[in-house]
Coordinates of all heavy atoms in Angstrom, one line a residue:
Chain A
C945 N -12.7 12.4 -7.5 CA -11.7 12.5 -8.5 C -11.4 11.1 -9.0 O -11.2 10.1 -8.2 CB -10.4 13.0 -7.9 SG -10.6 14.8 -7.4
I1000 N -14.2 14.5 -11.4 CA -13.1 15.3 -12.1 C -12.0 14.3 -12.4 O -11.6 13.5 -11.6 CB -12.6 16.4 -11.1 CG1 -13.7 17.3 -10.6 CG2 -11.5 17.2 -11.8 CD1 -13.4 18.2 -9.5
L1002 N -8.2 14.1 -14.5 CA -7.1 14.7 -15.2 C -6.5 13.6 -16.1 O -6.2 12.5 -15.6 CB -6.0 15.2 -14.2 CG -4.8 15.7 -14.8 CD1 -4.8 17.2 -14.7 CD2 -3.5 15.2 -14.1
L1025 N -9.9 17.6 -16.9 CA -8.7 18.5 -17.0 C -7.8 17.9 -18.0 O -7.1 16.9 -17.7 CB -8.1 18.6 -15.6 CG -9.0 19.1 -14.5 CD1 -8.2 19.2 -13.1 CD2 -9.6 20.5 -14.8
T1027 N -5.0 16.9 -20.4 CA -3.6 17.0 -20.6 C -3.2 16.0 -21.7 O -3.9 15.1 -22.0 CB -2.9 16.5 -19.3 OG1 -3.2 15.2 -19.0 CG2 -3.3 17.4 -18.1
H1031 N 1.6 12.1 -15.6 CA 2.9 12.2 -15.0 C 3.0 11.3 -13.7 O 2.0 11.2 -13.0 CB 3.3 13.6 -14.8 CG 4.7 13.9 -14.6 ND1 5.3 13.9 -13.4 CD2 5.7 14.1 -15.5 CE1 6.6 14.1 -13.5 NE2 6.9 14.3 -14.8
D1033 N 4.5 12.1 -11.0 CA 4.6 13.0 -9.8 C 3.2 13.3 -9.3 O 2.5 14.1 -9.9 CB 5.3 14.2 -10.2 CG 5.6 15.1 -8.9 OD1 5.0 14.9 -7.9 OD2 6.5 15.9 -9.0
G1034 N 2.8 12.6 -8.3 CA 1.4 12.8 -7.7 C 1.2 14.2 -7.2 O 0.0 14.7 -7.3
L1035 N 2.2 14.9 -6.8 CA 2.0 16.2 -6.3 C 1.5 17.2 -7.4 O 0.7 18.0 -7.2 CB 3.3 16.8 -5.7 CG 3.2 18.2 -5.1 CD1 2.2 18.2 -3.9 CD2 4.6 18.6 -4.5
E1036 N 2.0 17.0 -8.6 CA 1.6 17.8 -9.7 C 0.2 17.5 -10.1 O -0.6 18.5 -10.4 CB 2.5 17.6 -11.0 CG 4.0 18.1 -10.7 CD 4.1 19.5 -10.2 OE1 3.3 20.4 -10.7 OE2 4.9 19.8 -9.4
T1037 N -0.2 16.3 -10.1 CA -1.6 15.9 -10.3 C -2.5 16.6 -9.2 O -3.5 17.1 -9.5 CB -1.8 14.4 -10.2 OG1 -0.9 13.8 -11.2 CG2 -3.2 14.0 -10.5
A1038 N -2.0 16.5 -8.0 CA -2.8 17.0 -6.8 C -3.0 18.5 -7.0 O -4.0 19.0 -6.7 CB -2.1 16.7 -5.5
K1039 N -1.9 19.2 -7.4 CA -2.0 20.7 -7.6 C -3.1 21.0 -8.6 O -3.9 21.9 -8.4 CB -0.7 21.2 -8.0 CG 0.4 21.3 -6.9 CD 1.7 22.0 -7.5 CE 2.8 21.9 -6.5 NZ 4.1 22.1 -7.2
A1040 N -3.1 20.3 -9.7 CA -4.1 20.6 -10.8 C -5.5 20.3 -10.3 O -6.4 21.1 -10.5 CB -3.8 19.7 -12.0
L1041 N -5.7 19.2 -9.6 CA -7.0 18.9 -9.0 C -7.4 19.9 -8.0 O -8.6 20.4 -8.0 CB -7.0 17.5 -8.5 CG -6.8 16.3 -9.5 CD1 -6.7 15.0 -8.7 CD2 -8.0 16.2 -10.4
A1042 N -6.5 20.3 -7.1 CA -6.8 21.3 -6.1 C -7.2 22.6 -6.7 O -8.1 23.3 -6.2 CB -5.6 21.4 -5.1
G1043 N -6.5 23.0 -7.8 CA -6.9 24.2 -8.5 C -8.3 24.2 -8.9 O -9.0 25.2 -8.8
E1044 N -8.8 23.0 -9.4 CA -10.2 22.9 -9.9 C -11.2 22.9 -8.7 O -12.3 23.4 -8.8 CB -10.3 21.6 -10.7 CG -11.7 21.3 -11.2 CD -12.2 22.4 -12.2 OE1 -11.4 23.1 -12.8 OE2 -13.5 22.5 -12.3
L1045 N -10.7 22.3 -7.6 CA -11.7 22.1 -6.5 C -11.8 23.4 -5.6 O -12.8 23.5 -4.8 CB -11.2 20.9 -5.6 CG -11.3 19.6 -6.2 CD1 -10.4 18.6 -5.5 CD2 -12.8 19.1 -6.1
K1046 N -10.8 24.2 -5.6 CA -10.7 25.2 -4.5 C -11.8 26.2 -4.4 O -12.2 26.6 -3.3 CB -9.3 25.9 -4.6 CG -9.2 26.9 -5.7 CD -7.8 27.6 -5.6 CE -7.6 28.8 -6.6 NZ -7.9 28.5 -8.0
D1047 N -12.4 26.6 -5.5 CA -13.5 27.6 -5.4 C -14.9 27.1 -5.2 O -15.8 27.8 -4.9 CB -13.4 28.5 -6.7 CG -12.1 29.2 -6.7 OD1 -11.6 29.6 -5.7 OD2 -11.5 29.3 -7.8
F1055 N -11.7 10.3 -3.1 CA -10.7 9.7 -4.0 C -10.7 8.2 -3.8 O -11.1 7.7 -2.8 CB -9.3 10.3 -3.6 CG -9.1 11.7 -3.8 CD1 -9.6 12.7 -3.0 CD2 -8.4 12.1 -4.9 CE1 -9.4 14.0 -3.2 CE2 -8.2 13.5 -5.2 CZ -8.7 14.4 -4.3
Q1066 N -1.2 8.6 -3.0 CA -0.9 9.9 -2.4 C -1.7 11.0 -2.8 O -1.8 12.1 -2.1 CB 0.6 10.2 -2.7 CG 0.9 10.1 -4.2 CD 2.4 10.4 -4.5 OE1 2.8 11.5 -4.9 NE2 3.2 9.4 -4.3
V1067 N -2.4 11.0 -4.0 CA -3.0 12.2 -4.5 C -4.1 12.8 -3.6 O -4.2 14.0 -3.4 CB -3.6 12.0 -5.9 CG1 -4.4 13.1 -6.4 CG2 -2.4 11.7 -6.9
G1068 N -4.9 11.9 -3.0 CA -6.0 12.4 -2.1 C -5.5 13.2 -0.9 O -5.8 14.4 -0.8
P1069 N -4.6 12.6 -0.1 CA -4.1 13.4 1.1 C -3.3 14.6 0.6 O -3.3 15.6 1.4 CB -3.2 12.4 1.8 CG -3.1 11.2 1.0 CD -4.2 11.2 0.0
M1070 N -2.7 14.6 -0.5 CA -2.0 15.8 -1.0 C -2.9 16.9 -1.3 O -2.7 18.1 -1.0 CB -1.1 15.5 -2.2 CG 0.2 14.7 -1.8 SD 1.1 14.4 -3.3 CE 2.7 14.0 -2.6
V1071 N -4.0 16.6 -2.0 CA -5.1 17.6 -2.3 C -5.6 18.2 -1.0 O -5.8 19.4 -0.9 CB -6.2 17.0 -3.2 CG1 -7.4 17.9 -3.2 CG2 -5.7 16.6 -4.6
A1072 N -5.8 17.3 0.0 CA -6.4 17.8 1.3 C -5.4 18.8 1.9 O -5.8 19.8 2.4 CB -6.5 16.6 2.2
E1073 N -4.1 18.5 1.9 CA -3.1 19.5 2.4 C -3.2 20.8 1.6 O -3.1 21.9 2.2 CB -1.7 18.9 2.4 CG -1.4 17.8 3.4 CD -1.5 18.3 4.8 OE1 -1.2 19.6 5.0 OE2 -1.7 17.5 5.7
L1074 N -3.2 20.7 0.3 CA -3.2 21.9 -0.5 C -4.4 22.7 -0.3 O -4.4 24.0 -0.4 CB -3.1 21.5 -2.0 CG -1.8 20.8 -2.4 CD1 -1.8 20.3 -3.8 CD2 -0.5 21.7 -2.2
L1075 N -5.5 22.1 0.0 CA -6.8 22.9 0.3 C -7.0 23.1 1.8 O -8.0 23.7 2.2 CB -8.0 22.1 -0.3 CG -8.0 21.9 -1.8 CD1 -9.2 21.0 -2.2 CD2 -8.0 23.2 -2.5
T1144 N -5.4 21.7 -19.6 CA -4.6 21.8 -18.3 C -3.2 21.5 -18.6 O -2.9 20.5 -19.3 CB -5.2 20.9 -17.2 OG1 -6.6 21.1 -17.1 CG2 -4.5 21.1 -15.9
A1145 N -2.3 22.2 -18.0 CA -0.9 21.9 -18.1 C -0.2 21.8 -16.7 O 0.2 22.8 -16.2 CB -0.2 23.0 -18.9
P1146 N -0.2 20.6 -16.2 CA 0.4 20.4 -14.9 C 1.9 20.7 -15.0 O 2.5 20.6 -16.1 CB 0.3 18.9 -14.6 CG -0.7 18.4 -15.5 CD -0.7 19.3 -16.7
G1147 N 2.5 21.1 -13.9 CA 4.0 21.4 -13.9 C 4.8 20.2 -14.2 O 4.3 19.1 -14.1
P1148 N 6.1 20.4 -14.5 CA 6.9 19.3 -14.9 C 7.2 18.4 -13.7 O 7.5 17.2 -13.8 CB 8.2 19.9 -15.4 CG 8.2 21.3 -14.8 CD 6.8 21.7 -14.6
G1149 N 7.2 18.9 -12.4 CA 7.5 18.1 -11.3 C 9.0 17.9 -11.1 O 9.8 18.3 -11.9
A1150 N 9.3 17.2 -10.0 CA 10.7 17.0 -9.8 C 11.1 15.5 -9.8 O 12.2 15.1 -9.3 CB 11.0 17.6 -8.4
L1151 N 10.3 14.7 -10.5 CA 10.6 13.3 -10.6 C 10.9 13.0 -12.1 O 10.1 13.4 -12.9 CB 9.4 12.4 -10.2 CG 9.1 12.3 -8.7 CD1 8.0 11.3 -8.6 CD2 10.3 11.8 -8.0
Chain B
P1357 N 2.4 11.5 2.3 CA 1.9 12.5 1.3 C 1.5 13.8 1.9 O 1.7 14.9 1.3 CB 0.6 11.8 0.8 CG 0.6 10.4 1.2 CD 1.6 10.3 2.3
A1360 N 4.9 15.5 2.4 CA 5.5 15.9 1.1 C 4.7 17.1 0.6 O 5.4 18.1 0.1 CB 5.4 14.7 0.1
A1361 N 3.4 17.1 0.7 CA 2.6 18.3 0.1 C 3.0 19.5 0.9 O 3.1 20.6 0.3 CB 1.1 18.0 0.2
R1362 N 3.1 19.4 2.2 CA 3.5 20.6 3.0 C 4.9 21.1 2.6 O 5.1 22.3 2.7 CB 3.5 20.2 4.5 CG 2.2 20.3 5.1 CD 2.2 19.7 6.5 NE 0.9 19.9 7.1 CZ 0.5 20.9 7.8 NH1 1.3 21.8 8.1 NH2 -0.8 21.0 8.2
L1363 N 5.7 20.2 2.2 CA 7.1 20.6 1.8 C 7.1 21.1 0.3 O 8.2 21.5 -0.2 CB 8.1 19.5 2.0 CG 8.2 19.0 3.5 CD1 9.1 17.8 3.5 CD2 8.8 20.1 4.3
G1364 N 6.1 20.8 -0.4 CA 6.1 21.0 -1.9 C 7.1 20.1 -2.6 O 7.7 20.5 -3.6
R1365 N 7.2 18.9 -2.1 CA 8.2 18.0 -2.7 C 7.4 16.7 -3.2 O 6.4 16.3 -2.6 CB 9.2 17.5 -1.6 CG 10.1 18.7 -1.1 CD 11.0 19.1 -2.2 NE 11.9 18.1 -2.6 CZ 12.5 18.0 -3.8 NH1 12.3 18.9 -4.7 NH2 13.3 17.0 -4.1
P1366 N 8.0 16.1 -4.2 CA 7.3 14.9 -4.7 C 7.6 13.7 -3.7 O 8.5 13.8 -2.9 CB 8.1 14.6 -6.0 CG 9.4 15.2 -5.9 CD 9.2 16.5 -5.0
L1367 N 6.7 12.7 -3.8 CA 6.8 11.6 -2.9 C 7.0 10.3 -3.7 O 6.2 10.1 -4.6 CB 5.6 11.5 -2.0 CG 5.4 10.2 -1.2 CD1 6.5 10.0 -0.2 CD2 4.0 10.2 -0.5

Side-chain angles (χ1 to χ4, degrees):
Chain A
C945 292
I1000 303 168
L1002 175 102
L1025 303 179
T1027 60
H1031 197 268
D1033 187 342
L1035 184 58
E1036 295 306 323
T1037 303
K1039 284 181 191 163
L1041 293 171
E1044 176 63 23
L1045 289 160
K1046 71 175 185 316
D1047 297 322
F1055 292 81
Q1066 54 183 258
V1067 171
M1070 282 179 164
V1071 167
E1073 285 293 336
L1074 297 172
L1075 298 176
T1144 306
L1151 285 185
Chain B
R1362 278 171 177 266
L1363 299 172
R1365 295 292 298 155
L1367 166 65

